[in-house]
Amino acid sequence: TKLWMLDDPESASADPVGEAAEMLRSGGLVAFPTETVYGLGADARSSEAVAGIFKAKGRPSDNPLIVHIASVSQLDGLVLPYPKLAEELMERFWPGPLTLVLPVVPDALSPLVTAGLPTVGVRMPDHQVALELLSRAGCPVAAPSANKSGRPSPTLASHVVEDLRGFIDGVLDGGATGVGLESTVIELEDEHTIRILRPGGVTEEAFRQACPDIGVIGAGEQEDAALQPRSPGMKYTHYAPKGELTVVQGEPGDIPAYVNPLAEAAKLRGELTGVLAFSERVHAYNADLVLDLGSESKLDEAARRLYALLRRFDDAGINRIWSEACSDEGLGGALMNRMQKAAGGRVIRIDK
Ligand code: TXA
Ligand code: MG
């Protein structure tokens, strides 16, 4: 696995992005930074290349991949004609953390990308390195998050190296990603309504602000979501640290008094304990490792930090973790969604 450091003047390569683009064109697997998380890219038209992604990640084959593009013209021949609303959303949010699920042109892509669905998720990332790579590769690039399946998504190149070294051809190191959580995945319910399949970098509030007449069906409002997930990826335990994580909801000031006795008891059983807390209360916990999400008034900072902090619990061998919940306003919706996934559904309300 080749690692290109993009901000290193001593770098051995004069044109790392060009080399990476060439690698993609010749069927290789290249991890690259985006504004959300690092992606693991392959030529979306080549089944051989795309099969490599599933293999490297250990990803279930029924979970489709997002296709990344550098310009809207790349959608010609890739997706069927789409309604005005889709066009407006692209204009407003691309490049950016929004994935649109649209009907795919049959045979335009490897069937592995869509996991046999008649639709494909497409997005244009808001990251200079990603855009340059995609435009120089010249092909649609299928790219899931560049982590081993089930592990927290990578927000640093070192996370990619940790999970995938030896399994992929290259990693472009562009430093820390911006948003820190994956893109918002939506489909169009009708000409005026979108359905959020996965909450992410673009919030419900942002959709309403951009298109005042838009109808938004939130991710939580899906009937029988557990039985028939519309976004196949949402049914898997995800983003999970190795230790058992419990999310604690309630009056924030009351959470330490609930968690500390449990942490004490776990320590007596010989377990290593961890807490994920907002800055306002990091000093109120007695766990072995207490990590700081930043201020509860700055949820964008918590989003940026979350995955790296979950990995730190793993590095320290923590077996029991409690996390403070946050408001689900704005980016908090996506943050809570990821925390709940990481907790495998272990969420406790202490004020009821
Ligand atoms: O921010 C992101 O979206 C990152 C970066 C690398 O772009 N990518 C990412 O990909 O998060 P991945 O594979 O980890 O997640 C893709 C999600 C899954 O939940 C998958 O089920 C959903 O998108 N998805 C993809 N294609 C779909 C489709 N045709 N219909 C419904 N859901 C789809
Ligand atoms: Mg992922």
Side-chain angles (χ1 to χ4, degrees):
T1 302
K2 179 147 190 172
L3 178 65
W4 296 281
M5 310 282 286
L6 293 176
D7 53 2
D8 177 10
E10 318 269 87
S11 165
S13 167
D15 182 17
V17 178
E19 278 181 31
E22 179 51 38
M23 221 173 235
L24 282 176
R25 269 197 307 274
S26 53
L29 302 180
V30 176
F32 59 96
T34 80
E35 83 283 29
T36 58
V37 300
Y38 274 77
L40 176 60
D43 182 343
R45 302 162 308 182
S46 159
S47 285
E48 211 183 324
V50 174
I53 290 182
F54 284 92
K55 190 156 175 241
K57 282 181 60 85
R59 181 175 175 111
S61 61
D62 65 346
N63 192 2
L65 308 178
I66 294 171
V67 170
H68 295 64
I69 54 172
S71 78
V72 175
S73 64
Q74 283 184 281
L75 291 178
D76 297 345
L78 198 69
V79 299
L80 298 174
Y82 43 81
K84 190 95 182 69
L85 177 58
E87 197 180 315
E88 281 170 17
L89 292 169
M90 289 173 196
E91 268 167 27
R92 172 62 187 77
F93 293 107
W94 280 3
L98 174 65
T99 296
L100 281 154
V101 171
L102 297 170
V104 66
V105 170
D107 301 326
L109 297 171
S110 159
L112 299 177
V113 171
T114 56
L117 294 172
T119 54
V120 61
V122 286
R123 94 175 189 97
M124 188 190 297
D126 186 13
H127 193 290
Q128 193 212 310
V129 173
L131 289 171
E132 191 189 333
L133 175 71
L134 294 167
S135 83
R136 291 178 71 180
C139 56
V141 171
S145 49
N147 51 291
K148 279 274 181 215
S149 239
R151 291 214 74 201
S153 294
T155 52
L156 291 171
S158 61
H159 299 156
V160 180
V161 170
E162 205 173 281
D163 281 13
L164 299 177
R165 165 181 277 162
F167 295 92
I168 65 177
D169 299 298
V171 183
L172 280 166
D173 183 348
T177 58
V179 180
L181 301 178
E182 300 85 344
S183 63
T184 303
V185 181
I186 64 166
E187 66 181 8
L188 303 185
E189 183 76 3
D190 60 44
E191 310 260 295
H192 311 282
T193 312
I194 60 168
R195 177 189 289 274
I196 298 181
L197 302 179
R198 178 179 71 179
V202 178
T203 64
E204 264 189 66
E205 291 83 345
F207 285 119
R208 293 215 169 81
Q209 210 161 37
C211 311
D213 298 328
I214 200 173
V216 182
I217 304 174
E221 298 161 41
Q222 291 171 47
E223 13 41 272
D224 66 9
L227 296 175
Q228 265 280 315
R230 282 170 184 265
S231 182
M234 298 306 279
K235 71 172 182 269
Y236 295 104
T237 307
H238 250 88
Y239 326 112
K242 291 169 188 154
E244 183 181 289
L245 170 67
T246 304
V247 176
V248 186
Q249 294 180 323
E251 189 56 47
D254 296 341
I255 298 178
Y258 171 80
V259 167
N260 284 339
L262 295 175
E264 211 48 59
K267 282 187 192 177
L268 289 173
R269 292 194 301 269
E271 295 184 303
L272 276 176
T273 58
V275 165
L276 198 53
F278 288 94
S279 308
E280 286 79 359
R281 285 167 302 281
V282 274
H283 299 296
Y285 292 96
N286 63 3
D288 297 298
L289 181 62
V290 183
L291 297 179
D292 187 351
L293 282 162
S295 168
E296 59 196 349
S297 65
K298 290 210 187 78
L299 294 185
D300 55 336
E301 182 60 34
R304 249 193 305 278
R305 292 186 192 184
L306 177 68
Y307 289 143
L309 297 182
L310 292 177
R311 282 175 183 262
R312 279 188 52 195
F313 287 121
D314 286 353
D315 295 343
I318 305 291
N319 349 70
R320 286 280 287 137
I321 309 161
W322 291 268
S323 174
E324 295 186 352
C326 65
S327 133
D328 56 12
E329 305 275 291
L331 205 49
L335 198 57
M336 283 307 298
N337 170 272
R338 301 307 191 274
M339 281 189 187
Q340 283 169 16
K341 294 249 153 205
R346 275 180 302 274
V347 180
I348 286 178
R349 266 215 87 93
I350 58 172
D351 56 1
K352 277 197 181 147

